[in-house]
Each structure stands twice: as structure tokens, then as C-alpha cells.
Amino acid sequence: MAEVLLFHHVQGQTPGFLAFADELRAAGHTVHTPDLFDGRCFHDLTEGVAYARKVGFDELLERGVRAADDRPHELVYAGFSLGVLPAQKLAQTRPGARGALLIESCIPPSEFGGPWPAGVPVQVHGMDADPIFSGEGDLTAARELVESTGQAELFVYPGDRHLFVDASLPSYDKDAAELLTWRVLDFLSTR
């Protein structure tokens, strides 16, 4: 079974985010869920983004990196939206990564110092008409990542929702979330 370091999205550790982590645990995986927001949760994206800007995206990224300090190196790094920042950085720069799950965001690998590392499989998930994932360059970055390595998979779901996996939010899409969860569990079963 895999050991996963799972980072929350910009609305914080919502009940839906924690339920997703519990679903991975129920399948036998060890899942760590560090709180980058010091217990704060936000009702909508706008509030969460305002808080992230106040704290600073660089600071939130570093909080995520520090969350791995006392963990083994042989982890799968996973994140939702904002949580992809530390997950992707750790997968690319911390030796021993077993894989990465980048959900609803993807950063060009060059932002973290170079190409995607050899031997680290990655899945990227997002909706085709999500104004954030598709409209802000994440989908383009994901396609470039997939083209750069034979260890990457991109799964694009029909729809225009951001945070579609979080069952506690109005943006939840049950069918897409169930398919994503199945794909994630299949990925983790080999790590």
C-alpha cells in the first residue's frame, strides 16, 4: 500500500477533502493531510484566494514542503488545486518520490528546476472547461508534462467545475469524482 502526502485546496481542509483522504485510507493507504491554513476553511474560492494572497503563495508552498520534513522520502505527493504547488515541487525535487497526483492544477515542470524526474509516475486530473484549470494554463502545462515523459497520464473530464471532487462543495460532480477516485486508487495500488 502507498503512503500519501495529500495537500488541500484553497478552501482549506473541508469535510469533502477529508472524506476523500478517508476513502484512500479505507482502501488501505496511509494518508497524511497537513493543514496549510492553520485550521481555517472558507465558504468560497474568493475568500480562500484572498487568504492565500494575504499569507503569500510562497509561504504556503514552503509550509507544504516543510510538512514533508518528518516523513519518509518514499511518498506519493498529491494535491488539489492550490495543494498541487507543494505536491508537484516535492515530487520533482525530493528524492525517493513514488508518484504524484495533480488534481485540478499543473505547473510547468520548469518552475521547479527542470524536467519531470525519471522514475516518478504522475497523473493529472481536471475538467475540460474549468475556467481555472483550462483557462489559466494548467491544462496546457499538463499536456506538455505528458509529452515530456512516458510516465504521465492526463485525465480530462467534461465539465466546467473547479474542485469537482470535494463532495462538501456546490461544485461537486459525483460521476467525475467517482471516476477520478477509481483512477487514483488504481494508481496507488501499484505504488
Side-chain angles (χ1 to χ4, degrees):
M1 291 292 124
E3 188 164 355
V4 181
L5 190 57
L6 177 64
F7 295 100
H8 62 79
H9 50 70
V10 76
Q11 288 184 242
Q13 288 193 336
T14 60
F17 167 79
L18 295 172
F20 180 83
D22 286 342
E23 193 163 352
L24 302 184
R25 290 180 185 112
H29 305 291
T30 300
V31 182
H32 308 282
T33 55
D35 186 354
L36 305 180
F37 282 7
D38 298 322
R40 292 174 180 85
C41 282
F42 299 96
H43 290 66
D44 61 38
L45 285 170
T46 304
E47 290 177 355
V49 170
Y51 177 75
R53 283 191 177 124
K54 179 181 171 185
V55 172
F57 289 100
D58 289 340
E59 171 60 21
L60 293 171
L61 175 61
E62 287 311 307
R63 286 179 185 182
V65 170
R66 286 192 305 269
D69 285 349
D70 296 329
R71 307 270 179 233
H73 284 249
E74 298 76 23
L75 295 170
V76 173
Y77 299 101
F80 286 94
S81 191
L82 173 73
V84 165
L85 289 169
Q88 186 170 339
K89 181 175 182 174
L90 286 162
Q92 282 192 237
T93 63
R94 192 171 191 237
R98 295 283 173 105
L101 295 162
L102 312 178
I103 302 169
E104 300 179 292
S105 185
C106 184
I107 312 302
S110 60
E111 291 291 319
F112 298 119
W116 191 259
V120 180
V122 57
Q123 284 187 348
V124 183
H125 301 264
M127 285 196 156
D128 62 356
D130 170 358
I132 297 171
F133 182 73
S134 293
E136 295 183 3
D138 298 76
L139 180 55
T140 301
R143 288 181 174 138
E144 291 171 4
L145 173 59
V146 169
E147 290 175 14
S148 75
T149 178
Q151 302 173 95
E153 296 177 286
L154 171 60
F155 298 104
V156 181
Y157 305 82
D160 62 356
R161 298 176 185 187
H162 194 66
L163 306 181
F164 68 92
V165 182
D166 188 325
S168 65
L169 300 178
S171 54
Y172 178 64
D173 182 308
K174 183 178 187 296
D175 293 337
E178 287 177 354
L179 181 56
L180 178 144
T181 302
W182 179 84
R183 288 171 168 160
V184 164
L185 289 171
D186 186 56
F187 179 87
L188 292 176
S189 71
T190 61
R191 304 294 158 240

